[in-house]
């Protein structure tokens, strides 16, 4: 079949909708904007504003309503722009499928597939929808998503033609049926899409492509911080409401005051600051050739203190060359090369760089051989076998991990190509040769064969026995020139690199020696298999080299590291890496990776280089640093001001600030912090992993918050005793002082250094200073009467400057004491 035409496909896309498990969640811009009003505090404020209007305070109601709408709009605009930028980046790494359209193969996003499309599949591809097999060549798929069966299943085309797509015969057991979410292990096929989106088997049982990943460090930290703020807000608001009710103040005004106080306490700008900061980080990382699929992974990258990586392509050049093809005695043997070439040439699975190196080494004429069948590679057997025929004779050629291949052999091939019994002395000699090649830095494959009867119909796993050992194919993959420098940079940045590879210990040790990497301890796949989870957790800390590990063991290693409190990154690009990429806090893959790896990863490297990864880690720390600045502001100076306001209700005969003034204060504060995601971050804040620390946030709040409150109470005293302030003058004076202190203190809090030696971003300077000047001018503007403000005497501003300088100096002293005490403890 030549597939659909463009016109037919467009019509079916309109009929069936995008090929997604769940309907698209994209809503119109209007609905997205209205969704920001779902915040309970916003709804309460709007309801209270309506009640105020009904009770006669129309002006106050309008002003409160306008302030709420402006605040929500501010949040929406920033979040929407960040979301659009994130979507544009995601499109760069969207999974595609090769589809026949108008008779020509072309890559298309899987969401645009429709029933009737013809899709070409090969090893490493995800199956994008439920389909019937039209043609297949040694086509094995993993459909554990549906059946739980971990082993690959062979699929074949139904003869003479694919069956009709009736709803009753779509079963995983059918040999000609493949399902969305399965992955191609080996071979190739042409399939006809029958069901897409929610009509697929996965869609009908309402599950996603994979189970939810364990919560990342960023998600856990955000949740804990939200709980801390919620508890503080609830306690302070209840206290304020009870005091006002006990003092018999107007109920509506007291209620509005308490709700406005809750808004002031809530860091409602945090989601916007986080999303904008992460998106800006994602854009900067895109410039560094790193595409971020999940923005929160940027912060996890900054918190990462362990990176697990394979050796090939990251520590080495991935330009693998076949250097030697030796027999059991260590002599170069053309027969070994011919057998290896036959296996790689006829293998239909995903070819490895070793296969490419064999085929590139020498062009061998295999035209007199014909492929009969294949037992595809899997990560438990660690080998691949092809059954070939020439002149009526059939031969099984096996290539794979040397230990496993030698174990299956009963004979070996001598220099005259005669088959000799593989006795104990020969095994010792062959194993010594293998060890010697590994110590010289060669990556080694074992090559073996076995003649079978001419009528032997298929190749099966049980045929891989009583083999004749031919020899070893030995490859060199030189270390990357940049790898040594990158490993030193990672170590200096507090990231421990652990090499997790399927290669053998001696080869990996050789590469580590060339790169100057000290090896602390080694575990092999056999060692890992012998340890239970508790024992593995006890060992992983000290080990930095894991060799001959299979996919499930890689996953166990990552889980063990996470259980010890580490934030773990994993770099991989193969089918076998998908579970580990999904489990790690930060799954990192590369542009040339197979679909299943790119789908599971949170980041895609467009350039396979650990130095690029190091730059990404620094970007993650920069992002986290700017998020923490907002949190430290919200939980110290801002919280101190709101605490002062609540406490002032105990001794003032009137509310210290009107509800709409609190909301305006909060809005202006938010405006001043819009540019915080663009701020510079000090070098020392990039030096080590950064992660959420609730104890740090709480203690910082308890150190700086009381200083803020102290100056608020001093302002109260001076306004009442020095200026003999009435209600309006008191509220105006404190509004200006409150804005000035909580906005300008960012220049002290944003750095651990002397503020004069750490240069903020100029946009942060402009917005912060602009907001403070705006607050000072507001009492003199035409809006003042509507906001409950009155012009301030000029002498107040002289006092304000003195208060500000004293306050910032005292906060700087408190900050230094806090960090010094923290360092000592």
């Amino acid at each position: 079949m030549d597939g659909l035409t463009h016109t037919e496909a467009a019509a079916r896309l309109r009929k069936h909708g995008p090929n997604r498990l769940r309907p698209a969640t994209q809503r119109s811009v209007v609905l997205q904007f209205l969704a920001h009003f779902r915040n309970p505090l916003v709804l309460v404020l709007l309801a209270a504003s309506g009640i105020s209007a009904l009770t006669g305070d129309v002006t106050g109601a309008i002003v409160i309503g306008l302030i709420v709408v402006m605040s929500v709009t501010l949040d929406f605009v920033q979040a929407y722009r960040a979301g659009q930028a994130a979507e544009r980046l995601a499109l760069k790494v969207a999974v595609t499928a090769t589809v026949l359209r108008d008779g020509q193969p072309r890559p298309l996003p899987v969401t645009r597939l429709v029933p009737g499309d013809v899709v070409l599949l090969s090893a490493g591809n995800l199956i994008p929808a439920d389909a019937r097999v039209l043609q297949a060549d040694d086509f094995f798929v993993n459909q554990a998503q549906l059946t739980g069966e971990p082993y690959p299943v062979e699929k074949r085309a139904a003869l003479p033609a694919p069956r009709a797509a009736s709803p009753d015969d779509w079963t995983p057991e059918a040999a000609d049926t493949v399902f969305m979410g399965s992955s191609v292990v080996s071979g190739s096929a042409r399939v006809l899409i029958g069901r897409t989106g929610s009509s697929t088997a996965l869609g009908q049982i309402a599950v996603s492509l994979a189970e939810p990943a364990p919560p990342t460090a960023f998600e856990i930290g955000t949740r804990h911080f939200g709980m801390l703020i919620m508890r503080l807000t609830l306690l302070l608001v209840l206290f304020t409401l009870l005091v006002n009710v006990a003092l018999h103040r107007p109920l509506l005004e007291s209620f509005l005051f308490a709700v406005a106080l809750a808004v002031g306490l809530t860091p409602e700008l945090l989601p916007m600051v986080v999303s904008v900061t992460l998106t800006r980080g994602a854009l900067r990382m895109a410039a560094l050739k790193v595409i971020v699929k999940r923005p929160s992974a940027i912060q996890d990258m900054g918190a990462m203190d362990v990176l697990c990586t394979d050796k090939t392509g990251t520590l080495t050049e991935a330009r693998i060359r076949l250097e030697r093809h030796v027999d059991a005695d260590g002599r170069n043997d053309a027969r070994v090369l011919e057998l290896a070439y036959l296996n790689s040439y006829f293998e239909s699975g995903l070819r490895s760089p070793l296969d490419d190196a064999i085929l590139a080494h020498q062009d061998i004429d295999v035209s007199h051989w014909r492929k009969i069948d294949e037992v595809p590679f899997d990560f438990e057997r660690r080998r691949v076998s092809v059954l070939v025929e020439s002149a009526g004779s059939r031969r099984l050629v096996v290539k794979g991990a040397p230990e496993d291949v030698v174990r299956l052999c009963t004979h070996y091939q001598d220099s005259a190509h005669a088959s000799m019994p593989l006795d104990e002395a020969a095994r010792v000699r062959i194993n010594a040769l293998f060890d010697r090649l590994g110590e010289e830095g060669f990556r080694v494959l074992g090559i073996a064969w076995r003649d079978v009867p001419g009528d032997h119909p298929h190749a099966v796993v049980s045929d891989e026995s009583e083999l004749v050992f031919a020899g070893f194919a030995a490859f060199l993959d030189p270390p990357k020139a940049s790898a040594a420098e990158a490993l030193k940079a990672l170590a200096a940045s507090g990231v421990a690199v652990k090499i997790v590879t399927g290669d053998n210990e001696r080869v990996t040790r050789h590469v580590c020696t060339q790169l100057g990497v000290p090896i602390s301890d080694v575990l092999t796949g056999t060692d890992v298999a012998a340890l239970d989870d508790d024992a593995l957790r006890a060992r992983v800390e000290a080990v930095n080299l894991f060799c001959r590990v299979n996919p499930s063991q890689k996953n166990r290693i990552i889980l063990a590291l996470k259980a010890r409190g580490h934030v773990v990154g994993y770099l991989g690009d193969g089918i076998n890496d998908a579970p580990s990429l999904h489990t790690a806090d930060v799954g990192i893959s590369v542009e040339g990776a197979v679909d299943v790896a790119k789908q599971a990863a949170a980041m895609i490297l467009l350039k396979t280089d650990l130095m690029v990864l190091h730059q990404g880690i620094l970007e993650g720390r920069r992002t986290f640093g700017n998020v923490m600045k907002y949190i430290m502001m919200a939980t110290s100076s801002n919280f101190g001001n709101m605490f002062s306001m609540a406490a002032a209700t105990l001794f003032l005969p009137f509310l210290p600030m009107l509800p709409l003034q609190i909301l305006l204060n909060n809005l202006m504060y938010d405006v001043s912090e819009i540019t915080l995601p663009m701020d510079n971050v000090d070098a020392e804040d990039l030096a080590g992993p950064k992660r959420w620390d609730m104890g740090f946030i709480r203690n910082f709040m308890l150190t700086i918050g009381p200083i803020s409150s102290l100056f608020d109470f001093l302002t109260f005293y001076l306004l009442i005793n020095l200026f003999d302030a009435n209600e309006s003058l008191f509220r105006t004076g404190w509004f200006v002082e409150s804005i000035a202190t909580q906005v300008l203190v960012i220049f002290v809090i944003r750095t651990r250094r002397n503020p004069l030696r750490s240069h903020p971003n100029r946009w942060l300077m402009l917005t912060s200073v602009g907001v403070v000047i705006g607050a000072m001018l507001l009492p003199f503007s035409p809006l003042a009467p509507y906001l409950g403000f009155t012009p301030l005497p000029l002498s107040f501003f002289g006092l304000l400057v003195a208060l500000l300088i004293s306050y910032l100096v005292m906060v700087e002293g408190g900050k230094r004491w806090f960090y010094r005490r923290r360092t000592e403890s």
Side-chain angles (χ1 to χ4, degrees):
M1 292 181 67
D2 293 330
L4 302 174
T5 65
H6 179 77
T7 305
E8 288 172 329
R12 295 190 186 195
L13 186 61
R14 286 192 297 270
K15 177 182 177 182
H16 296 280
N19 179 34
R20 295 187 179 97
L21 285 177
R22 293 188 176 94
T25 55
Q26 185 67 30
R27 295 170 293 180
S28 69
V29 174
V30 174
L31 289 177
Q32 291 181 60
F33 175 68
L34 292 176
H36 283 254
F37 284 90
R38 289 186 302 183
N39 185 317
L41 292 175
V42 170
L43 293 175
V44 169
L45 280 171
L46 290 175
S49 175
I51 295 171
S52 294
L54 292 175
T55 56
D57 186 11
V58 177
T59 302
I62 291 173
V63 173
I64 290 175
L66 285 174
I67 290 172
V68 170
V69 170
M70 288 170 64
S71 182
V72 168
T73 302
L74 174 70
D75 187 27
F76 163 74
V77 169
Q78 295 293 328
Y80 180 78
R81 290 174 59 191
Q84 293 291 99
E87 285 182 19
R88 287 193 294 271
L89 287 174
L91 286 175
K92 293 186 178 182
V93 289
V95 174
T96 60
T98 303
V99 187
L100 291 181
R101 288 278 172 90
D102 299 312
Q104 298 297 319
R106 61 185 62 184
L108 284 177
V110 295
T111 54
R112 292 175 59 186
L113 298 183
V114 296
D117 266 327
V118 175
V119 177
L120 307 180
L121 297 172
S122 58
N125 289 159
L126 284 170
I127 293 171
D130 293 355
R132 301 291 191 194
V133 180
L134 300 176
Q135 297 174 5
D137 182 13
D138 291 315
F139 186 55
F140 285 77
V141 302
N142 183 331
Q143 54 185 25
Q145 283 293 113
L146 290 173
T147 64
E149 174 59 48
Y151 299 106
V153 178
E154 187 171 11
K155 298 288 184 177
R156 302 184 180 90
L159 297 175
R163 297 169 291 149
S166 76
D168 299 323
D169 59 357
W170 288 92
T171 61
E173 293 77 19
D176 66 334
T177 307
V178 291
F179 295 88
M180 174 187 265
S182 304
S183 58
V184 183
V185 175
S186 68
S188 59
R190 178 178 294 206
V191 301
L192 175 66
I193 300 297
R195 304 187 301 191
T196 59
S198 57
S199 298
T200 62
L202 282 184
Q204 289 172 356
I205 59 178
V207 298
S208 61
L209 182 64
E211 293 180 1
T216 65
F218 182 80
E219 292 162 344
I220 294 170
T222 306
R223 190 182 310 142
H224 288 170
F225 176 69
M227 292 299 294
L228 173 67
I229 291 297
M230 187 178 73
R231 287 194 292 267
L232 291 171
T233 302
L234 187 62
L235 286 172
L236 210 51
V237 168
L238 284 176
F239 166 79
T240 305
L241 196 56
L242 288 172
V243 168
N244 279 281
V245 170
L247 295 174
H248 306 292
R249 289 171 183 161
L251 187 60
L252 176 61
E253 191 178 62
S254 299
F255 174 69
L256 273 173
F257 179 79
V259 172
L261 200 62
V263 173
L265 282 167
T266 305
E268 74 283 352
L269 208 64
L270 180 60
M272 185 276 288
V273 168
V274 169
S275 62
V276 172
T277 307
L278 293 179
T279 302
R280 283 186 59 82
L283 291 170
R284 280 196 292 262
M285 290 183 75
L288 298 172
K289 304 294 185 185
V290 182
I291 302 298
V292 180
K293 290 173 57 185
R294 175 171 58 82
S296 66
I298 297 174
Q299 193 279 331
D300 290 324
M301 184 85 108
M304 182 173 73
D305 59 350
V306 173
L307 173 66
C308 296
T309 179
D310 195 2
K311 171 175 63 66
T312 306
T314 51
L315 303 183
T316 62
E317 292 285 358
R319 291 202 298 267
I320 297 175
R321 304 187 307 271
L322 176 63
E323 294 287 332
R324 300 174 65 183
H325 37 90
V326 298
D327 62 15
D329 294 317
R331 292 185 289 262
N332 265 0
D333 189 335
R335 178 80 180 278
V336 176
L337 176 60
E338 180 186 8
L339 289 167
Y341 193 98
L342 271 173
N343 184 288
S344 295
Y345 183 85
F346 287 115
E347 180 186 353
S348 62
L350 189 67
R351 281 206 175 112
S352 72
L354 301 181
D355 291 305
D356 294 335
I358 290 169
L359 297 176
H361 183 73
Q362 183 178 325
D363 192 16
I364 297 177
D365 181 16
V366 293
S367 59
H368 58 288
W369 289 98
R370 179 173 69 91
K371 180 180 176 180
I372 304 300
D373 200 10
E374 173 182 356
V375 183
F377 180 87
D378 70 59
F379 295 96
E380 296 297 327
R381 289 169 41 254
R382 299 192 302 172
R383 56 187 178 272
V384 57
S385 300
V386 294
L387 180 62
V388 292
E389 181 183 62
S390 177
S393 299
R394 295 192 173 184
R395 176 168 293 169
L396 186 75
V397 183
V398 182
K399 176 185 82 226
E403 307 96 315
D404 295 318
V405 171
V406 172
R407 177 173 52 81
L408 296 170
C409 293
T410 55
H411 292 73
Y412 73 96
Q413 175 180 286
D414 67 8
S415 56
H417 299 161
S419 179
M420 306 292 292
L422 187 58
D423 56 19
E424 189 59 31
R427 284 187 186 276
V428 170
R429 190 170 72 252
I430 289 170
N431 287 331
L433 172 61
F434 172 47
D435 291 343
R436 190 163 64 251
L437 289 169
E439 287 166 357
E440 293 173 15
F442 288 105
R443 190 172 179 182
V444 181
L445 286 177
I447 313 295
W449 57 276
R450 174 190 175 196
D451 286 332
V452 297
D455 59 352
H456 196 75
H458 299 293
V460 293
V461 173
S462 58
D463 291 336
E464 298 171 337
S465 60
E466 300 183 354
L467 301 176
V468 178
F469 178 73
F472 294 120
F475 306 82
L476 275 183
D477 184 13
K480 274 189 176 177
S482 63
E485 183 185 353
L487 289 169
K488 288 178 183 176
L490 287 167
S493 297
V495 179
V497 177
K498 295 184 184 290
I499 301 167
V500 184
T501 180
D503 213 342
N504 78 65
E505 178 187 341
R506 287 181 171 80
V507 176
T508 311
R509 278 183 179 275
H510 183 82
V511 171
C512 289
T513 300
Q514 289 182 299
L515 292 173
V517 177
I519 298 168
S520 56
D521 201 357
V522 181
L523 279 181
T524 66
T526 305
D527 298 330
V528 172
L531 298 172
D532 62 21
D533 290 342
D534 290 334
L536 183 60
R537 280 195 291 272
R539 292 290 305 275
V540 289
E541 192 77 31
V543 176
N544 68 341
L545 194 58
F546 299 87
C547 300
R548 282 299 189 204
V549 288
N550 62 34
S552 62
Q553 290 168 343
K554 289 182 181 181
N555 210 38
R556 285 187 63 206
I557 291 164
I558 290 171
L559 287 170
L561 287 165
K562 290 180 72 171
R564 291 188 66 99
H566 293 290
V567 178
V568 184
Y570 182 82
L571 176 58
D573 62 357
I575 299 172
N576 60 318
D577 293 312
S580 301
L581 288 166
H582 184 66
T583 300
D585 291 292
V586 190
I588 308 156
S589 194
V590 296
E591 188 178 25
V594 298
D595 286 350
V596 286
K598 288 197 286 188
Q599 181 81 351
M603 293 184 179
I604 307 293
L605 301 184
L606 302 183
K607 181 180 178 183
T608 310
D609 189 342
L610 282 180
M611 192 55 80
V612 171
L613 199 58
H614 179 252
Q615 291 173 322
I617 289 169
L618 297 183
E619 190 57 54
R621 293 175 184 175
R622 184 177 293 110
T623 299
F624 180 71
N626 283 334
V627 170
M628 280 302 296
K629 289 173 189 176
Y630 178 79
I631 288 172
M632 290 160 71
M633 283 280 291
T635 55
S636 56
S637 175
N638 189 36
F639 181 81
N641 279 341
M642 294 302 121
F643 175 79
S644 304
M645 203 176 304
T649 59
L650 284 171
F651 59 84
L652 287 176
F654 51 84
L655 290 178
M657 207 179 282
L658 293 175
L660 68 88
Q661 292 169 344
I662 299 175
L663 295 176
L664 181 61
N665 180 297
N666 197 55
L667 176 64
M668 295 183 75
Y669 167 72
D670 285 351
V671 169
S672 75
E673 302 307 304
I674 285 177
T675 52
L676 192 57
M678 295 185 279
D679 193 25
N680 306 319
V681 178
D682 296 336
E684 55 267 32
D685 288 328
L686 305 178
K690 300 295 178 186
R691 57 199 303 181
W692 288 89
D693 184 346
M694 287 302 108
F696 172 87
I697 294 171
R698 183 189 63 247
N699 293 338
F700 190 84
M701 177 183 69
L702 294 175
T703 302
I704 305 299
I707 298 174
S708 178
S709 293
L710 174 66
F711 275 84
D712 286 333
F713 292 131
L714 180 59
T715 303
F716 297 164
Y717 176 81
L718 294 173
L719 283 169
I720 293 170
N721 291 280
L722 199 60
F723 293 94
D724 195 22
N726 57 20
E727 292 182 24
S728 179
L729 183 61
F730 181 93
R731 290 165 178 163
T732 306
W734 189 43
F735 177 89
V736 173
E737 186 269 350
S738 174
I739 283 284
T741 54
Q742 70 179 0
V743 169
L744 294 182
V745 79
I746 184 62
F747 299 112
V748 176
I749 288 177
R750 60 173 291 279
T751 177
R752 297 190 183 199
R753 302 177 182 176
N754 181 324
L756 299 177
R757 296 181 180 176
S758 177
H759 303 295
N761 180 275
R762 61 174 179 172
W763 290 108
L764 181 63
M765 289 274 292
L766 289 172
T767 55
S768 299
V769 174
V771 164
V772 172
I773 293 172
M776 291 178 177
L777 295 176
L778 203 54
F780 303 96
S781 73
L783 294 173
Y786 301 103
L787 298 171
F789 293 142
T790 190
L792 290 163
L794 293 180
S795 57
F796 172 80
F797 292 101
L799 177 66
L800 177 63
V801 170
L803 281 172
L804 268 175
I805 293 172
S806 302
Y807 171 66
L808 296 178
V809 168
M810 194 164 178
V811 169
E812 174 65 17
K815 181 192 75 176
R816 292 190 181 192
W817 176 83
F818 171 80
Y819 283 120
R820 185 169 60 250
R821 185 165 171 263
R822 181 175 173 82
T823 302
E824 290 170 355
S825 63

